[in-house]
Amino acid sequence: MNFYNFINLIKLESIKQEKTLNLIASENYSSLSTIIYSSSCYINKYTEGYPKNRYYSGCKIFDIFENKSIIESQLLFSSLFSNVQPHSGAQANFAVFQTLLNKNDKILSLDLKSGGHLTHGFIKNFSAKIFNIINYCLDKNNLIDNNYINLIIKKEKPKLLILGYSSYQELIDWKKLNIISKKNNCYILSDISHISGFICSGLIKNPINYSDVVSSTTHKTLRGIKGGILLSNNKNIFNKINSSVFPGQQGGSISNNIISKYVSFKEANNFNFIKYTKQILINSKIMLKTFFYRGYKSSTKETINHMFLINLLNKCTLLIEKILEKNGILLNRNFFPNDIKFSKNPSAIRIGLSSVTTRKLKNLEVELISNYICDIIENYKKNYKNQIKILCLKFPIYK
Ligand code: PLP
């Protein structure tokens, strides 16, 4: 395939993004500045090491960028230390494990089916291959049960407790769980990948003072480029984290991405971003309410963030995902807590509102889309292609 065909494919993707409504909870639309700064001549530059301590020459200008990115993320999350180099959320988590744990040490985490992430101990992931994973599950109301976690910690004496999830829609009591862990000499990693946008806006409590390390992706509610960050208030641990990231598991950082991360941190450190995250919360509450009104069940009675699960019981979620895509609505099928079905066709769909809120959709549109989705689930022949196209034209991603 020649270069011009590649450009056409990218154009096709960009048209697809403009013409579809994205309800995938892990995704968002970065600003044009974030995109532009990710594609600079820094693609050509190797920047192994840290500012003022590099393993290649010619990094002096880049040191300015990396320092700015570090400082901006510290401001954003009120943390004393930050590492902006992890290539992804998974790499960030791996660096934490490598810092705090030895081979076969016990990790206590929420299982994948209840909302945990692959890197929190899924059997095929490096986490389960290297460490001894013990899972906690949710209570009968699908909520985190602090007392239950307390009991397992006392019994199993894990070295690390992971908090923060991929499909959990309720609050986490960071403070209480921190007290429980500290009493039992257990470290806490708070993985805020999905909720970091709300934390830096002050809409969800910041776990930084109740965690040994906080990890996050930069591309979900934070609305930046794909990547990871690590934060901590513990100097000792953080020095070790730095050497776990480099040279522990990564080589050169992705320099252009670090600059782009800085741009999105700066954008998130702004009143408009708080307005944006507040609107996400309004939108997700409205959408969930509409699903309830139409008789559907979620894992809990409300959502405190951008996402929620809808249990479709015996319906084929794989097929529903495809039919919705044909109508121009993107979302993903997902496990429901205690699911007995397999990952290819689990019981639920997961819906996230960050992307459509970036497009400036509000109450009315969100209620409308929820009803379209319910209609399609109830009658696969329903066709809302035109309505979705019109909505997309009315609310472009990039003007
Ligand atoms: N942690 C959580 C809670 C996530 O939801 C994700 C991604 O979905 C990750 C970590 C991993 O992020 P990445 O895909 O950047 O490796």
Side-chain angles (χ1 to χ4, degrees):
M1 187 177 289
N2 69 34
F3 185 64
Y4 294 99
N5 285 340
F6 271 129
I7 288 182
N8 282 337
L9 282 180
I10 290 171
K11 268 191 195 151
L12 270 183
E13 172 64 23
S14 137
I15 292 167
K16 185 213 78 190
Q17 288 190 13
E18 282 290 352
K19 286 190 172 169
T20 48
L21 286 179
N22 187 0
L23 298 171
I24 295 174
S26 321
E27 296 182 4
N28 209 332
Y29 305 117
S30 293
S31 70
L32 275 181
S33 309
T34 305
I35 294 174
I36 288 164
Y37 279 98
S38 73
S39 352
S40 72
C41 57
Y42 270 106
I43 284 175
N44 305 329
K45 184 72 197 115
Y46 239 105
T47 53
E48 261 184 13
Y50 290 103
K52 286 198 167 161
N53 188 14
R54 303 284 182 188
Y55 291 81
Y56 291 103
S57 56
C59 297
K60 269 198 194 128
I61 305 173
F62 185 71
D63 281 3
I64 300 172
F65 284 117
E66 184 160 351
N67 279 329
K68 272 187 168 294
S69 194
I70 290 170
I71 290 167
E72 201 61 38
S73 59
Q74 287 166 347
L75 282 174
L76 197 56
F77 292 99
S78 310
S79 78
L80 296 178
F81 307 102
S82 157
N83 186 311
V84 293
Q85 293 197 4
H87 299 337
S88 67
Q91 300 279 81
N93 285 346
F94 187 38
V96 177
F97 300 161
Q98 206 182 17
T99 304
L100 302 177
L101 307 174
N102 293 311
K103 203 171 173 220
N104 297 326
D105 275 351
K106 285 183 185 171
I107 297 179
L108 180 58
S109 63
L110 187 65
D111 66 300
L112 184 74
K113 285 197 167 182
S114 304
H117 185 253
L118 297 169
T119 55
H120 300 179
F122 177 56
I123 191 152
K124 290 187 180 167
N125 186 264
F126 71 86
S127 45
K129 291 185 178 163
I130 301 176
F131 306 105
N132 185 354
I133 306 293
I134 308 153
N135 284 141
Y136 53 94
C137 46
L138 302 174
D139 70 7
K140 61 179 189 335
N141 298 315
N142 295 326
L143 296 170
I144 302 283
D145 182 344
N146 298 337
N147 295 329
Y148 175 61
I149 292 182
N150 187 20
L151 283 180
I152 314 188
I153 291 192
K154 277 187 178 153
K155 184 168 169 249
E156 296 284 351
K157 301 260 174 264
K159 207 161 170 194
L160 177 70
L161 168 67
I162 303 181
L163 305 173
Y165 315 101
S166 295
S167 56
Y168 188 66
Q169 56 203 60
E170 282 284 350
L171 285 174
I172 301 163
D173 192 339
W174 312 108
K175 191 172 175 186
K176 196 165 191 179
L177 288 162
N178 180 260
I179 295 170
I180 293 171
S181 302
K182 291 306 140 205
K183 270 190 193 157
N184 293 280
N185 291 323
C186 177
Y187 292 116
I188 290 190
L189 163 64
S190 298
D191 179 346
I192 58 167
S193 290
H194 267 280
I195 51 175
S196 47
F198 302 106
I199 287 171
C200 68
S201 293
L203 301 178
I204 291 181
K205 198 172 176 142
N206 191 342
I208 191 75
N209 291 323
Y210 306 112
S211 319
D212 296 284
V213 189
V214 173
S215 67
S216 180
T217 52
T218 44
H219 48 274
K220 296 182 170 60
T221 48
L222 206 48
R223 213 162 57 172
I225 191 163
K226 284 215 185 72
I229 41 166
L230 286 165
L231 309 154
S232 179
N233 280 348
N234 183 322
K235 191 172 183 188
N236 239 343
I237 288 182
F238 213 70
N239 287 337
K240 289 184 201 155
I241 288 271
N242 279 343
S243 52
S244 274
V245 173
F246 174 85
Q249 51 136 336
Q250 288 185 181
S253 63
I254 307 180
S255 330
N256 40 309
N257 286 15
I258 287 177
I259 298 172
S260 177
K261 280 176 191 174
Y262 166 69
V263 177
S264 53
F265 296 153
K266 196 90 194 149
E267 287 172 351
N269 228 337
N270 184 291
F271 182 69
N272 283 334
F273 192 80
I274 300 179
K275 255 173 66 186
Y276 160 65
T277 44
K278 277 187 179 161
Q279 187 62 45
I280 302 179
L281 292 187
I282 295 171
N283 283 352
S284 60
K285 281 181 199 306
I286 290 175
M287 202 176 231
L288 183 57
K289 223 173 174 182
T290 315
F291 273 96
F292 284 153
Y293 186 72
R294 296 278 302 245
Y296 290 87
K297 290 208 162 51
S298 185
S299 54
T300 60
K301 285 189 194 128
E302 62 167 352
T303 173
I304 54 95
N305 58 45
H306 60 302
M307 69 169 147
F308 56 85
L309 295 172
I310 293 294
N311 193 355
L312 296 181
L313 302 164
N314 295 324
K315 294 214 179 245
C316 178
T317 52
L318 177 64
L319 183 62
I320 287 169
E321 188 187 283
K322 288 207 165 99
I323 295 172
L324 286 170
E325 185 174 354
K326 277 195 182 144
N327 277 274
I329 298 172
L330 303 181
L331 49 70
N332 74 292
R333 57 198 189 280
N334 209 92
F335 285 122
F336 199 75
N338 300 317
D339 213 325
I340 47 165
K341 288 164 88 181
F342 295 104
S343 59
K344 281 233 161 73
N345 182 31
S347 295
I349 49 173
R350 184 180 66 160
I351 292 180
L353 278 298
S354 338
S355 299
V356 292
T357 312
T358 297
R359 286 182 97 138
K360 302 225 171 353
L361 272 74
K362 289 207 174 109
N363 313 26
L364 264 181
E365 296 82 36
V366 159
E367 192 181 332
L368 201 61
I369 301 165
S370 327
N371 279 314
Y372 292 160
I373 298 174
C374 294
D375 289 350
I376 292 167
I377 293 171
E378 286 154 30
N379 177 0
Y380 294 166
K381 291 201 175 113
K382 281 270 177 196
N383 183 337
Y384 286 112
K385 275 185 202 163
N386 280 335
Q387 286 88 332
I388 301 295
K389 244 185 226 161
I390 291 167
L391 267 178
C392 290
L393 278 174
K394 202 170 158 198
F395 296 92
I397 308 169
Y398 301 108
K399 289 189 183 92

